[in-house]
Amino acid sequence: MNWLAHILLSEQNVENRLGNLLGDLVKGKDLDVLNYNLRRGVSRHYAIDKFTDSHPIVKISKKRIDKEYSKFAGILIDVYYDHLLAKNWDIYSDTVFANFTAEIYESFQKYSGEIPPSARQIIEYMVDGDWLSSYQQLSGVENALDRIDYRIRARMGDRIKLVDAMPILERESIDLEQDFHSFFPELQQYIQGWTITK
């Protein structure tokens, strides 16, 4: 799942929500400087990713992506599932979407705890660019894939552009939405149980 889902599935406090994002942004020794609540959020992030990546419905969604993009199908599905979550927000949350994003942004901006500067900068970009709300539109999916493309190019060169897979996501949109509605309640139930046992 991508960032909107990770935040929704967090415990309802700023450090767990931040930690859930830091699971993508902080690696190696930088994890050691995080406090307990942030690390708990990171652990929750990993639990969500592990459940998602191994789920049979998500595997079906990935197979809907053309072979040319199969290596990056997980990324494409993660981002598109965030679009489907934003689009169907009222089904999965009792909080008005605009109120939810405003609360998240405000709490992140006010947070004064220790996180690596590079991660803080990306979170500031997220807030300033209103990335979470942007997922409601396909243009927000394109922008997210552009940002990911930039990171992939930095590591692997200019081999493929994920944003060019948008026509595939649009072509498969009905089936992907059915997949999402079958999968997401199971993820919600799983992470609630994870909270109780951890």
Side-chain angles (χ1 to χ4, degrees), residues 51-135:
F51 181 86
T52 300
D53 292 342
S54 64
H55 198 283
I57 294 173
V58 176
K59 289 180 180 179
I60 290 170
S61 287
K62 290 176 184 177
K63 287 181 181 176
R64 300 189 193 284
I65 303 301
D66 293 2
K67 191 172 183 180
E68 159 186 16
Y69 294 96
S70 60
K71 183 176 180 180
F72 301 97
I75 295 171
L76 292 166
I77 295 305
D78 282 352
V79 173
Y80 198 73
Y81 273 15
D82 255 17
H83 165 64
L84 295 171
L85 175 58
K87 178 181 167 188
N88 297 283
W89 184 260
D90 294 343
I91 297 174
Y92 298 106
S93 176
D94 295 330
T95 306
V96 174
F97 187 63
N99 294 347
F100 177 84
T101 58
E103 177 196 342
I104 296 302
Y105 294 153
E106 182 179 7
S107 68
F108 285 3
Q109 287 175 315
K110 289 182 176 178
Y111 183 72
S112 59
E114 181 88 15
I115 62 174
S118 58
R120 186 176 292 278
Q121 184 177 45
I122 292 172
I123 289 168
E124 287 173 4
Y125 290 152
M126 179 194 74
V127 172
D128 291 343
D130 191 13
W131 292 359
L132 299 179
S133 295
S134 75
Y135 284 116

XYZ file of all heavy atoms in Angstrom, residues 51-135:
708
model
N 1.847 -8.243 4.521
C 0.504 -8.796 4.306
C 0.037 -8.510 2.879
O -0.482 -9.394 2.187
C -0.475 -8.198 5.317
C -1.881 -8.720 5.188
C -2.260 -9.890 5.826
C -2.825 -8.048 4.419
C -3.560 -10.378 5.701
C -4.122 -8.521 4.298
C -4.487 -9.699 4.942
N 0.243 -7.275 2.442
C -0.202 -6.859 1.114
C 0.530 -7.638 0.027
O -0.096 -8.185 -0.893
C 0.022 -5.342 0.930
O -0.732 -4.637 1.917
C -0.406 -4.886 -0.456
N 1.845 -7.695 0.111
C 2.644 -8.322 -0.945
C 2.367 -9.815 -1.096
O 2.543 -10.372 -2.188
C 4.134 -8.095 -0.695
C 4.532 -6.639 -0.851
O 3.765 -5.868 -1.470
O 5.614 -6.262 -0.353
N 1.934 -10.465 -0.017
C 1.702 -11.911 -0.072
C 0.234 -12.269 -0.297
O -0.103 -13.447 -0.406
C 2.199 -12.564 1.229
O 1.444 -12.083 2.332
N -0.638 -11.259 -0.400
C -2.073 -11.543 -0.489
C -2.451 -11.998 -1.903
O -2.054 -11.380 -2.894
C -2.877 -10.295 -0.102
C -4.287 -10.611 0.255
N -5.245 -10.892 -0.694
C -4.903 -10.712 1.464
C -6.386 -11.148 -0.092
N -6.209 -11.046 1.222
N -3.262 -13.060 -2.014
C -3.611 -13.572 -3.347
C -4.367 -12.580 -4.224
O -4.194 -12.572 -5.449
C -4.461 -14.816 -3.053
C -4.781 -14.778 -1.600
C -3.766 -13.930 -0.935
N -5.190 -11.721 -3.638
C -5.923 -10.737 -4.450
C -4.956 -9.708 -5.027
O -5.077 -9.306 -6.189
C -7.043 -10.059 -3.631
C -8.108 -11.083 -3.258
C -7.665 -8.895 -4.415
C -9.167 -10.567 -2.307
N -3.995 -9.279 -4.232
C -2.999 -8.327 -4.720
C -2.168 -8.968 -5.837
O -1.837 -8.313 -6.831
C -2.105 -7.826 -3.570
C -1.003 -6.909 -4.091
C -2.955 -7.106 -2.517
N -1.879 -10.246 -5.697
C -1.152 -10.947 -6.757
C -1.961 -10.963 -8.055
O -1.398 -10.828 -9.147
C -0.806 -12.366 -6.306
C 0.269 -12.394 -5.223
C 0.590 -13.808 -4.784
C 1.667 -13.802 -3.699
N 2.005 -15.152 -3.229
N -3.269 -11.102 -7.940
C -4.132 -11.032 -9.128
C -4.047 -9.640 -9.750
O -3.939 -9.494 -10.971
C -5.590 -11.397 -8.759
C -5.694 -12.885 -8.428
C -6.549 -11.026 -9.885
C -7.018 -13.300 -7.821
N -4.106 -8.611 -8.900
C -3.984 -7.236 -9.403
C -2.670 -7.034 -10.146
O -2.642 -6.427 -11.224
C -4.085 -6.226 -8.256
O -5.397 -6.101 -7.773
N -1.595 -7.554 -9.592
C -0.286 -7.393 -10.235
C -0.250 -8.064 -11.602
O 0.386 -7.561 -12.535
C 0.824 -7.968 -9.342
C 1.083 -7.166 -8.077
C 2.125 -7.852 -7.214
C 2.330 -7.145 -5.901
N 3.294 -7.842 -5.028
N -0.945 -9.180 -11.734
C -0.964 -9.890 -13.018
C -1.759 -9.128 -14.077
O -1.638 -9.432 -15.270
C -1.533 -11.293 -12.831
C -0.570 -12.220 -12.109
C -1.142 -13.620 -11.940
C -0.154 -14.508 -11.198
N -0.711 -15.841 -10.923
N -2.548 -8.165 -13.668
C -3.289 -7.345 -14.627
C -2.366 -6.329 -15.327
O -2.749 -5.717 -16.319
C -4.433 -6.612 -13.927
C -5.449 -7.536 -13.275
C -6.669 -6.773 -12.775
N -7.485 -7.574 -11.891
C -8.315 -8.550 -12.270
N -8.431 -8.842 -13.556
N -9.033 -9.219 -11.389
N -1.187 -6.142 -14.790
C -0.216 -5.204 -15.366
C 0.553 -5.890 -16.482
O 1.018 -7.022 -16.330
C 0.755 -4.700 -14.264
C -0.022 -4.036 -13.115
C 1.787 -3.751 -14.853
C -0.877 -2.859 -13.505
N 0.710 -5.216 -17.597
C 1.406 -5.787 -18.753
C 2.820 -6.232 -18.383
O 3.476 -5.640 -17.515
C 1.473 -4.762 -19.890
C 0.097 -4.449 -20.460
O -0.911 -4.986 -19.961
O 0.033 -3.648 -21.413
N 3.295 -7.265 -19.080
C 4.581 -7.891 -18.767
C 5.737 -6.896 -18.766
O 6.673 -7.006 -17.974
C 4.844 -9.012 -19.779
C 5.998 -9.908 -19.425
C 6.085 -11.092 -20.364
C 7.222 -12.009 -19.937
N 7.325 -13.183 -20.836
N 5.660 -5.926 -19.630
C 6.724 -4.927 -19.733
C 6.984 -4.213 -18.401
O 8.103 -3.787 -18.111
C 6.293 -3.934 -20.827
C 6.922 -2.604 -20.815
C 6.307 -1.664 -21.850
O 5.213 -1.929 -22.380
O 6.963 -0.658 -22.099
N 5.939 -4.108 -17.563
C 6.054 -3.419 -16.275
C 5.996 -4.396 -15.095
O 5.854 -3.954 -13.952
C 4.926 -2.396 -16.124
C 5.007 -1.258 -17.117
C 4.271 -1.300 -18.305
C 5.810 -0.152 -16.883
C 4.347 -0.261 -19.230
C 5.890 0.890 -17.796
C 5.150 0.826 -18.965
O 5.235 1.852 -19.877
N 6.097 -5.690 -15.360
C 5.859 -6.674 -14.297
C 6.812 -6.506 -13.116
O 6.430 -6.738 -11.968
C 5.950 -8.092 -14.858
O 7.226 -8.333 -15.412
N 8.039 -6.088 -13.379
C 9.005 -5.894 -12.284
C 8.547 -4.805 -11.314
O 8.899 -4.815 -10.130
C 10.374 -5.536 -12.869
C 11.460 -5.374 -11.833
C 12.800 -5.129 -12.470
C 13.884 -4.969 -11.415
N 15.204 -4.719 -12.013
N 7.742 -3.865 -11.821
C 7.289 -2.736 -11.008
C 5.787 -2.793 -10.726
O 5.205 -1.807 -10.282
C 7.625 -1.423 -11.726
C 9.089 -1.258 -12.003
C 9.614 -1.587 -13.242
C 9.952 -0.808 -11.022
C 10.972 -1.455 -13.512
C 11.308 -0.673 -11.271
C 11.821 -0.994 -12.521
N 5.181 -3.969 -10.975
C 3.728 -4.093 -10.803
C 3.303 -3.778 -9.371
O 2.253 -3.165 -9.148
C 3.268 -5.491 -11.208
N 4.116 -4.182 -8.403
C 3.767 -3.909 -7.001
C 3.676 -2.426 -6.715
O 2.768 -1.976 -6.013
N 4.607 -1.658 -7.258
C 4.589 -0.201 -7.066
C 3.353 0.387 -7.728
O 2.644 1.219 -7.132
C 5.862 0.437 -7.652
C 7.099 -0.037 -6.885
C 5.761 1.965 -7.632
C 8.419 0.369 -7.540
N 3.074 -0.024 -8.958
C 1.914 0.505 -9.674
C 0.616 0.204 -8.929
O -0.254 1.076 -8.796
C 1.859 -0.083 -11.088
C 2.982 0.360 -12.026
C 3.022 -0.522 -13.266
C 2.819 1.830 -12.413
N 0.495 -1.005 -8.410
C -0.722 -1.376 -7.688
C -0.813 -0.622 -6.370
O -1.891 -0.141 -5.989
C -0.780 -2.904 -7.478
C -0.895 -3.625 -8.826
C -1.942 -3.280 -6.561
C -2.065 -3.189 -9.705
N 0.296 -0.486 -5.656
C 0.286 0.279 -4.396
C -0.256 1.691 -4.618
O -1.112 2.171 -3.866
C 1.692 0.387 -3.809
C 2.145 -0.868 -3.094
O 1.323 -1.788 -2.920
O 3.327 -0.929 -2.708
N 0.250 2.352 -5.637
C -0.158 3.737 -5.897
C -1.617 3.784 -6.360
O -2.393 4.627 -5.893
C 0.775 4.397 -6.935
C 0.251 5.764 -7.344
C 2.191 4.515 -6.376
N -1.986 2.863 -7.233
C -3.362 2.876 -7.736
C -4.356 2.517 -6.630
O -5.458 3.066 -6.575
C -3.517 1.944 -8.939
C -4.768 2.267 -9.724
C -4.835 3.417 -10.518
C -5.890 1.455 -9.658
C -5.985 3.733 -11.220
C -7.038 1.758 -10.360
C -7.080 2.895 -11.138
O -8.227 3.211 -11.826
N -3.989 1.620 -5.750
C -4.859 1.304 -4.606
C -5.072 2.546 -3.727
O -6.157 2.722 -3.163
C -4.256 0.169 -3.778
C -4.616 -1.240 -4.217
C -5.180 -1.520 -5.467
C -4.370 -2.318 -3.382
C -5.500 -2.821 -5.851
C -4.685 -3.627 -3.754
C -5.249 -3.871 -4.973
O -5.562 -5.162 -5.336
N -4.055 3.396 -3.585
C -4.265 4.644 -2.838
C -5.287 5.530 -3.543
O -6.102 6.192 -2.896
C -2.943 5.402 -2.660
C -2.403 5.293 -1.247
O -2.839 4.408 -0.487
O -1.535 6.114 -0.895
N -5.248 5.558 -4.865
C -6.274 6.294 -5.627
C -7.657 5.717 -5.331
O -8.617 6.471 -5.076
C -5.966 6.210 -7.119
C -7.111 6.620 -7.999
N -7.626 7.909 -8.014
C -7.852 5.902 -8.893
C -8.639 7.960 -8.881
N -8.785 6.767 -9.411
N -7.772 4.408 -5.325
C -9.069 3.778 -5.069
C -9.526 4.011 -3.638
O -10.726 4.183 -3.391
C -8.982 2.282 -5.388
C -8.738 1.960 -6.869
C -8.456 0.481 -7.057
C -9.921 2.408 -7.724
N -8.591 4.060 -2.701
C -8.945 4.390 -1.318
C -9.461 5.815 -1.224
O -10.499 6.069 -0.602
C -7.731 4.198 -0.406
C -7.903 4.604 1.058
C -9.053 3.844 1.716
C -6.595 4.399 1.825
N -8.763 6.752 -1.838
C -9.196 8.151 -1.805
C -10.559 8.316 -2.488
O -11.430 9.036 -2.000
C -8.152 9.043 -2.474
N -10.735 7.634 -3.595
C -11.983 7.710 -4.360
C -13.171 7.142 -3.576
O -14.295 7.625 -3.693
C -11.790 6.941 -5.669
C -12.998 6.880 -6.577
C -12.664 6.056 -7.815
C -13.931 5.708 -8.585
N -13.657 4.764 -9.669
N -12.913 6.121 -2.772
C -13.966 5.434 -2.010
C -13.821 5.658 -0.505
O -14.196 4.804 0.292
C -13.909 3.928 -2.318
C -14.182 3.624 -3.765
O -15.319 3.648 -4.213
N -13.117 3.334 -4.524
N -13.280 6.784 -0.142
C -12.905 7.065 1.250
C -14.038 6.818 2.240
O -13.834 6.244 3.311
C -12.412 8.505 1.365
C -11.926 8.863 2.719
C -12.606 9.552 3.684
C -10.650 8.538 3.285
N -11.844 9.684 4.811
C -10.635 9.071 4.591
C -9.536 7.868 2.812
C -9.537 8.942 5.427
C -8.435 7.732 3.644
C -8.445 8.266 4.940
N -15.242 7.245 1.906
C -16.367 7.150 2.840
C -16.715 5.710 3.210
O -17.342 5.478 4.252
C -17.603 7.839 2.262
C -17.416 9.345 2.129
O -16.491 9.884 2.766
O -18.190 9.981 1.390
N -16.307 4.772 2.390
C -16.552 3.360 2.708
C -15.632 2.892 3.832
O -16.018 2.066 4.663
C -16.344 2.475 1.457
C -17.350 2.849 0.366
C -16.436 0.988 1.800
C -17.114 2.130 -0.958
N -14.428 3.449 3.878
C -13.390 2.908 4.762
C -13.029 3.800 5.943
O -12.230 3.401 6.786
C -12.138 2.597 3.925
C -12.432 1.556 2.882
C -12.552 1.896 1.535
C -12.658 0.231 3.248
C -12.856 0.932 0.574
C -12.970 -0.738 2.295
C -13.076 -0.377 0.969
O -13.385 -1.329 0.033
N -13.605 4.984 6.004
C -13.321 5.883 7.127
C -14.559 6.701 7.460
O -15.297 7.108 6.561
C -12.165 6.832 6.785
O -11.949 7.747 7.835
N -14.752 6.937 8.764
C -15.862 7.779 9.220
C -15.485 9.258 9.224
O -16.347 10.112 9.440
C -16.297 7.368 10.638
C -16.880 5.962 10.670
O -17.472 5.546 9.649
O -16.729 5.287 11.699
N -14.224 9.570 9.011
C -13.751 10.951 9.025
C -13.842 11.548 7.624
O -13.452 10.898 6.645
C -12.284 11.012 9.503
O -12.178 10.351 10.766
C -11.807 12.448 9.638
N -14.342 12.764 7.527
C -14.395 13.455 6.241
C -12.966 13.557 5.699
O -12.035 13.913 6.425
C -15.024 14.861 6.407
C -14.946 15.654 5.104
C -16.465 14.733 6.874
N -12.808 13.245 4.424
C -11.468 13.146 3.832
C -10.661 14.432 4.009
O -9.495 14.401 4.418
C -11.577 12.788 2.349
C -10.261 12.503 1.686
C -9.484 11.432 2.089
C -9.795 13.296 0.655
C -8.263 11.152 1.479
C -8.585 13.029 0.035
C -7.822 11.958 0.449
N -11.273 15.584 3.709
C -10.559 16.860 3.828
C -10.137 17.113 5.270
O -9.048 17.647 5.524
C -11.428 18.002 3.315
N -10.969 16.732 6.230
C -10.620 16.901 7.645
C -9.464 15.977 8.032
O -8.576 16.365 8.800
C -11.828 16.613 8.538
C -12.951 17.617 8.352
O -12.762 18.672 7.746
N -14.126 17.291 8.843
N -9.487 14.764 7.501
C -8.422 13.803 7.789
C -7.072 14.321 7.295
O -6.095 14.353 8.046
C -8.751 12.461 7.124
C -7.691 11.410 7.303
C -7.651 10.631 8.453
C -6.749 11.170 6.306
C -6.678 9.648 8.616
C -5.774 10.193 6.460
C -5.745 9.431 7.621
N -7.024 14.742 6.037
C -5.748 15.212 5.496
C -5.272 16.475 6.201
O -4.082 16.618 6.471
C -5.836 15.441 3.972
O -6.869 16.377 3.685
C -6.118 14.131 3.235
N -6.198 17.378 6.526
C -5.814 18.603 7.233
C -5.217 18.277 8.597
O -4.203 18.870 9.006
C -7.023 19.526 7.376
N -5.821 17.330 9.298
C -5.305 16.926 10.616
C -3.913 16.310 10.488
O -3.008 16.608 11.285
C -6.259 15.916 11.262
C -5.762 15.379 12.599
C -6.495 14.130 13.044
O -7.597 13.844 12.541
O -5.933 13.432 13.915
N -3.729 15.463 9.484
C -2.423 14.835 9.275
C -1.365 15.897 9.003
O -0.294 15.909 9.618
C -2.491 13.836 8.101
C -3.433 12.671 8.409
C -1.091 13.318 7.739
C -3.102 11.874 9.631
N -1.651 16.781 8.077
C -0.664 17.802 7.708
C -0.309 18.682 8.904
O 0.864 18.971 9.140
C -1.203 18.668 6.569
C -1.389 17.943 5.254
C -2.332 18.382 4.331
C -0.630 16.827 4.919
C -2.507 17.730 3.114
C -0.803 16.169 3.711
C -1.735 16.627 2.805
O -1.909 15.987 1.602
N -1.313 19.108 9.639
C -1.052 19.984 10.792
C -0.191 19.264 11.831
O 0.768 19.834 12.367
C -2.372 20.450 11.415
C -2.167 21.388 12.579
C -3.472 21.877 13.188
O -4.546 21.387 12.798
O -3.406 22.746 14.085
N -0.524 18.008 12.118
C 0.230 17.271 13.139
C 1.673 17.018 12.682
O 2.601 17.090 13.495
C -0.465 15.946 13.472
O -0.417 15.048 12.378
N 1.877 16.771 11.394
C 3.229 16.562 10.886
C 4.042 17.855 10.954
O 5.226 17.845 11.299
C 3.200 16.043 9.452
C 2.802 14.588 9.316
C 2.428 13.823 10.410
C 2.800 13.987 8.068
C 2.061 12.487 10.279
C 2.445 12.653 7.917
C 2.072 11.898 9.020
N 3.417 18.972 10.616
C 4.126 20.253 10.650
C 4.509 20.654 12.070
O 5.547 21.273 12.277
C 3.269 21.338 10.006
C 3.189 21.209 8.489
C 2.242 22.216 7.861
O 1.122 22.432 8.336
N 2.682 22.853 6.793
N 3.689 20.290 13.039
C 3.952 20.670 14.430
C 4.909 19.711 15.131
O 5.412 20.024 16.211
C 2.632 20.731 15.219
C 1.754 21.904 14.848
C 0.490 21.921 15.704
C -0.355 23.150 15.417
N -1.611 23.145 16.216
N 5.156 18.567 14.545
C 5.974 17.565 15.215
C 7.416 18.047 15.343
O 8.053 18.422 14.355
C 5.935 16.236 14.453
C 6.702 15.146 15.140
C 6.214 14.574 16.308
C 7.928 14.709 14.654
C 6.919 13.580 16.965
C 8.637 13.710 15.301
C 8.135 13.150 16.455
O 8.837 12.175 17.115
N 7.914 18.015 16.548
C 9.262 18.545 16.800
C 10.263 17.459 17.188
O 11.398 17.758 17.546
C 9.217 19.610 17.909
O 8.695 19.048 19.103
N 9.838 16.208 17.137
C 10.736 15.112 17.499
C 11.822 14.893 16.458
O 11.834 15.495 15.382
N 12.725 13.996 16.781
C 13.905 13.731 15.955
C 13.579 12.750 14.839
O 13.207 11.600 15.097
C 15.005 13.137 16.855
C 16.291 12.829 16.152
C 17.247 14.012 16.118
O 17.044 14.976 16.864
O 18.194 13.949 15.322
N 13.700 13.196 13.592
C 13.664 12.301 12.439
C 14.753 12.772 11.475
O 15.136 13.945 11.489
C 12.283 12.250 11.740
C 11.867 13.609 11.187
C 11.218 11.698 12.662
C 10.588 13.558 10.366
N 15.280 11.872 10.658
C 16.363 12.272 9.745
C 15.940 13.439 8.853
O 14.799 13.471 8.363
C 16.608 11.004 8.922
C 16.184 9.887 9.824
C 14.998 10.431 10.584
N 16.825 14.410 8.644
C 16.475 15.599 7.862
C 15.966 15.289 6.457
O 15.048 15.954 5.972
C 17.801 16.377 7.795
C 18.578 15.917 8.981
C 18.183 14.495 9.213
N 16.527 14.279 5.802
C 16.070 13.956 4.443
C 14.620 13.486 4.451
O 13.837 13.830 3.558
C 16.963 12.880 3.816
O 16.958 11.704 4.616
N 14.244 12.723 5.488
C 12.858 12.264 5.604
C 11.936 13.437 5.920
O 10.837 13.553 5.367
C 12.747 11.187 6.681
N 12.385 14.316 6.805
C 11.566 15.487 7.150
C 11.311 16.343 5.903
O 10.212 16.857 5.708
C 12.230 16.316 8.246
C 11.352 17.476 8.742
C 11.976 18.218 9.899
N 12.039 17.441 11.111
C 11.023 17.287 11.952
N 9.848 17.817 11.676
N 11.177 16.585 13.051
N 12.317 16.479 5.060
C 12.148 17.293 3.857
C 11.093 16.690 2.923
O 10.253 17.407 2.376
C 13.478 17.427 3.113
C 13.391 18.339 1.894
C 14.736 18.517 1.222
O 15.467 17.554 1.025
N 15.059 19.749 0.874
N 11.115 15.375 2.758
C 10.122 14.724 1.892
C 8.724 14.883 2.479
O 7.758 15.140 1.751
C 10.483 13.246 1.675
C 11.759 13.157 0.830
C 9.339 12.499 0.987
C 12.324 11.772 0.693
N 8.604 14.773 3.792
C 7.298 14.960 4.427
C 6.816 16.396 4.231
O 5.623 16.642 3.999
C 7.360 14.542 5.908
C 7.493 13.015 5.984
C 6.126 15.016 6.670
C 7.845 12.473 7.334
N 7.738 17.352 4.299
C 7.358 18.743 4.025
C 6.873 18.909 2.588
O 5.898 19.613 2.332
C 8.541 19.676 4.302
C 8.820 19.867 5.787
C 10.096 20.663 6.048
O 10.733 21.137 5.071
O 10.467 20.794 7.232
N 7.537 18.245 1.650
C 7.072 18.280 0.256
C 5.661 17.703 0.146
O 4.815 18.214 -0.581
C 8.012 17.473 -0.654
C 9.373 18.062 -0.890
C 10.458 17.233 -1.174
C 9.596 19.428 -0.853
C 11.726 17.747 -1.408
C 10.865 19.960 -1.085
C 11.917 19.109 -1.358
O 13.172 19.628 -1.590
N 5.419 16.609 0.869
C 4.109 15.968 0.843
C 3.024 16.928 1.324
O 1.967 17.051 0.705
C 4.113 14.712 1.710
C 2.772 13.993 1.748
S 2.655 12.768 3.078
C 2.469 13.847 4.490
N 3.317 17.605 2.425
C 2.345 18.550 2.995
C 2.139 19.728 2.044
O 0.999 20.080 1.708
C 2.808 19.034 4.388
C 1.907 20.159 4.900
C 2.829 17.868 5.378
N 3.244 20.335 1.601
C 3.144 21.506 0.722
C 2.436 21.181 -0.593
O 1.693 21.999 -1.127
C 4.540 22.075 0.419
C 5.191 22.702 1.646
O 4.471 22.988 2.630
O 6.431 22.890 1.629
N 2.658 19.970 -1.099
C 2.047 19.576 -2.370
C 0.707 18.891 -2.224
O 0.097 18.511 -3.223
N 0.247 18.719 -0.977
C -1.035 18.059 -0.702
C -1.125 16.718 -1.433
O -2.100 16.425 -2.122
C -2.203 18.983 -1.092
C -3.550 18.470 -0.578
O -3.574 17.556 0.272
O -4.599 18.980 -1.053
N -0.093 15.900 -1.260
C -0.033 14.632 -1.983
C -1.198 13.722 -1.642
O -1.694 12.997 -2.505
C 1.278 13.902 -1.674
C 2.504 14.580 -2.213
C 2.569 15.742 -2.942
C 3.853 14.136 -2.069
N 3.873 16.036 -3.254
C 4.687 15.075 -2.732
C 4.439 13.033 -1.445
C 6.071 14.935 -2.781
C 5.816 12.898 -1.498
C 6.626 13.839 -2.158
N -1.631 13.718 -0.375
C -2.677 12.773 0.029
C -3.990 13.055 -0.700
O -4.626 12.135 -1.221
C -2.880 12.815 1.547
C -1.660 12.440 2.391
C -2.001 12.541 3.872
C -1.164 11.036 2.051
N -4.389 14.310 -0.758
C -5.640 14.655 -1.451
C -5.524 14.429 -2.947
O -6.514 14.121 -3.616
C -6.016 16.115 -1.187
O -6.315 16.309 0.177
N -4.330 14.577 -3.474
C -4.157 14.453 -4.920
C -4.520 13.065 -5.427
O -4.840 12.893 -6.608
C -2.716 14.799 -5.317
O -1.822 13.747 -4.980
N -4.479 12.060 -4.535
C -4.802 10.700 -4.960
C -6.255 10.547 -5.409
O -6.601 9.542 -6.035
C -4.511 9.699 -3.831
C -3.047 9.394 -3.653
C -2.394 9.727 -2.481
C -2.324 8.763 -4.652
C -1.042 9.443 -2.308
C -0.975 8.471 -4.499
C -0.348 8.815 -3.314
O 0.984 8.534 -3.155
